[in-house]
Amino acid sequence: ANGFVIGHFPSVIQIPGEVEPRRIGLDLDADEFKEKFHDLFCAALSTQRAYGYVFAYTGGAQKSLMGSINFFEMNQNHLASAINLYRSTGANDHLITVLCGRFTPEQRTIIRNRAILDTALYVDMMTWLIRVSGHPAYTDLTPPEECPTPTILEDDANDNNTDDTQNPGVEQEYQGSTYTFTTSNDPSENMGTNRSPQEFTLSMMNRSSPLLLVRGGNYTNAEELMLENVLPIQFPFGLGGPTQRRPTAVSKEVALQHYTRLSLKQFMRGDFLLVVLHMMNRIRSFTTGLVTCRSLGLGGDLTFAESISTLTDQQIKRAAENITKNVEDNSVAAQFLRRAETSCRSIGYTAAAARANRRLMYGLTDRYGTAHIFFTISPCDECSWRVRVWANAGMTMTMPSIDDPDNVCLIDYKERRDTRLKYPGACALEYESIIQTLLKKLFGWDCKKQKGDKGIFGTLLAFCVAHEEQNRKTLHGHWLLWVKELMHWRRELFGSNQEAARKAFLNYVDSVMSSSYLKNEEMAVDDDCCNKCESNGNATMEQCVASSISEHVGGDGDGNVDIGPCTVHDKFVDVDVGGALEQEQLQRIRNTRSKHEKDKIQGNIIDCRECGETFSTNDLVQMSLRHYKSAWQRQTWKQAGDLLMMLQFT
């Protein structure tokens, strides 16, 4: 495993010297522990923290509860003084929960419950870490006898901080948490993770990479901290950290990338991914660093290259310290540092990165002209069953049956929702898989050769994409595409035969950018699926099934009741090209983009060919599902009828 033996918390917690196990069947995702094993609990298990936490919640009438977890730098000396002062009041000094803002009474109860730690679970897990795991961060510690109890600080409920309950279904739903770091210690474009360009220059010349772990400003001594000590949930045995010595050397950057692709679900948690992202940003700010300097001589008869070739590490370090302390220094090393300019790659979510990416996009625009196609994709994690598979590797997952009652489907939906909120890393893996399929199969782009082939829009020349997280915590992508064929016909529009070019351009656009819910669609529905048709005199499905049983029992030997399946194209039409209602139907589709008209239309854009009644695409899907379900039931009843006939003649 090359030093990547990591492990996870056992399902049975057995302490040496004790006859009975403390826990049997420990599953931190089970309903018994799901609400207890939250972010605050994980933070309480850690014995070493390089940063402070703020667990904040927002809510109110007609709003779901949302969490926000902020990681911030701490001055340990000031923090200790504040804790001593707070301890003198008799309050608990370990964890403090503050309720501020507007909440409904039920939301306050939910927050109080989430702020309470399960004493028995905490003591059992801490005892296992100390006495069984062999984790170096827990060596020589005494097993606790009780769990730290958070102190809840809140004002008395009044009209200014309490809303009346209006929609309990929405207000009592917890929408998960977002994780953020303060930007005070983020790498910058010209200094990286250092305090000045001179320090950055010195670091690159000495090849001294930055500290991996979050430093907490200039207050915390991060050199004594390791990732596996700060995050025991991810490294329960203290093994497999990024700095561990391995038979085959692996860089810290590659080790961090490896963690994000492990099937162990603890590495898909949001708090871990945030720390890893911050560490990766620090590494890449150093590995992408550049030092530039004006090539003028630094005094004397020596050239620039000759002047700096004789500098030693001590001279450069001393000059950097003098410049930082504003001490006058005219040495060659000091002159070099003043002239040197440093730069590195900016962090992806900063304004500097946005400026750099805009320059690249403008470069593509200058090369290929205005983008031909704007494309957007928004996969829904809650609808993706694969997210649960990613987050439960090695476990057997069962999809609900089409015959299951609604409450079973709702339970499955709740499981999918909770999984995606707790393990955003699984959502990222699913999103990456979708993007790779989109590029390779739909766009026809070869990522290795960086060259496009024939895709759904034509031959792709270039593209740019911006990925973002939506408010509902799902990943989302905006794409700008440049297509070879569209570029050709757009150029021909300004040629000599503009009318022919215009028709060819429109035909090409229609061939790659138009869609129909019905054309060439093989989805089948029952012929009597539109129960509003005046000519609908067919029997219902239940009547047909009953008739089928009757005929089987009667022994006529047939046993088939043909409801009359047909394709959706035979039964419905969205736009009747060349028909009298073509323009009306097209305008109705356009109106669905209107803020006010869409509420009137309610998605009903498809007409029944017989009666003209309008339906939505969702209605068509439901009709088709009913058809296939009834067909399956008819086949089942046919087999039952055959069996009854056999029994009659025996």
Side-chain angles (χ1 to χ4, degrees), residues 302-525:
L302 298 177
T303 64
F304 173 79
E306 293 172 336
S307 299
I308 65 173
S309 63
T310 58
L311 294 178
T312 63
D313 293 344
Q314 291 76 14
Q315 290 175 328
I316 296 176
K317 184 176 181 180
R318 191 182 308 112
E321 292 176 351
N322 291 336
I323 293 175
T324 302
K325 298 177 181 178
N326 294 323
V327 176
E328 184 177 356
D329 189 344
N330 294 320
S331 63
V332 174
Q335 294 183 54
F336 165 69
L337 291 177
R338 290 192 184 98
R339 294 187 181 186
E341 295 181 359
T342 55
S343 63
C344 65
R345 181 182 297 176
S346 53
I347 302 176
Y349 53 78
T350 61
R355 289 195 299 270
N357 291 326
R358 275 198 298 270
R359 287 196 295 268
L360 296 177
M361 192 272 291
Y362 289 147
L364 290 175
T365 302
D366 183 68
R367 172 67 178 83
Y368 296 108
T370 304
H372 303 150
I373 298 173
F374 174 76
F375 182 87
T376 182
I377 180 171
S378 303
C380 182
D381 300 330
E382 290 181 347
C383 295
S384 175
W385 188 72
R386 284 161 51 96
V387 172
R388 288 183 64 191
V389 176
W390 287 114
N392 294 278
M395 299 177 61
T396 301
M397 308 301 296
T398 304
M399 293 184 66
S401 171
I402 192 174
D403 295 318
D404 286 338
D406 291 343
N407 63 319
V408 175
C409 296
L410 290 175
I411 292 174
D412 184 77
Y413 163 76
K414 185 177 183 299
E415 288 291 332
R416 296 198 307 269
R417 183 197 64 188
D418 294 344
T419 299
R420 81 174 187 92
L421 292 176
K422 189 173 183 179
Y423 301 110
C427 302
L429 290 174
E430 173 67 3
Y431 183 76
E432 181 184 28
S433 174
I434 292 174
I435 294 302
Q436 290 175 351
T437 303
L438 177 72
L439 273 174
K440 185 177 180 180
K441 301 299 183 181
L442 298 184
F443 291 168
W445 184 261
D446 190 327
C447 296
K448 292 183 178 180
K449 297 180 180 180
Q450 290 293 295
K451 185 178 180 181
D453 201 352
K454 199 72 173 180
I456 58 174
F457 296 122
T459 305
L460 196 61
L461 294 174
F463 68 89
C464 64
V465 57
H467 302 294
E468 63 183 14
E469 184 188 46
Q470 295 179 300
N471 189 44
R472 58 193 178 116
K473 297 181 176 61
T474 56
L475 293 173
H476 178 72
H478 298 284
W479 300 70
L480 293 178
L481 308 177
W482 284 267
V483 182
K484 179 179 179 181
E485 288 79 5
L486 281 175
M487 177 177 289
H488 167 74
W489 291 115
R490 192 168 64 176
R491 187 184 301 114
E492 290 297 318
L493 287 175
F494 299 94
S496 57
N497 194 350
Q498 295 184 0
E499 186 61 29
R502 181 177 181 275
K503 291 182 179 180
F505 182 83
L506 292 177
N507 290 334
Y508 183 79
V509 170
D510 286 338
S511 66
V512 299
M513 298 186 195
S514 61
S515 63
S516 174
Y517 296 104
L518 307 175
K519 186 177 180 181
N520 299 325
E521 180 58 62
E522 298 180 357
M523 185 170 62
V525 295

Side-chain angles (χ1 to χ4, degrees), residues 54 90 92 162 179 187 195 202 233 255 288 294 347 364 377 401 442 457 503 531 611 616:
V54 171
N92 181 277
T162 304
Y179 301 85
R195 293 174 296 179
L202 182 63
I233 298 299
T288 60
R294 296 188 300 274
I347 302 176
L364 290 175
I377 180 171
S401 171
L442 298 184
F457 296 122
K503 291 182 179 180
N531 54 16
C611 67
S616 67

Side-chain angles (χ1 to χ4, degrees), residues 4 6 235 253-269 272-277 280 284 390 424-430 432:
F4 283 105
I6 296 172
F235 303 92
E253 183 177 5
V254 172
L256 295 177
Q257 291 176 338
H258 180 69
Y259 296 144
T260 62
R261 295 189 174 276
L262 291 177
S263 60
L264 295 172
K265 63 175 64 178
Q266 66 258 33
F267 290 99
M268 301 180 186
R269 294 176 60 93
F272 173 78
L273 294 175
L274 176 71
V275 174
V276 168
L277 174 63
M280 288 290 292
R284 290 182 175 178
W390 287 114
C427 302
L429 290 174
E430 173 67 3
E432 181 184 28

Side-chain angles (χ1 to χ4, degrees), residues 48-53 71-80 83 182 184 214-221 225:
Q48 300 179 9
R49 304 187 190 102
Y51 31 71
Y53 299 80
F71 292 62
F72 62 96
E73 62 180 60
M74 296 185 300
N75 185 325
Q76 302 290 1
N77 296 328
H78 293 175
L79 182 64
I83 287 178
T182 58
S184 58
V214 180
R215 293 191 305 170
N218 300 318
Y219 306 128
T220 307
N221 184 10
L225 299 180

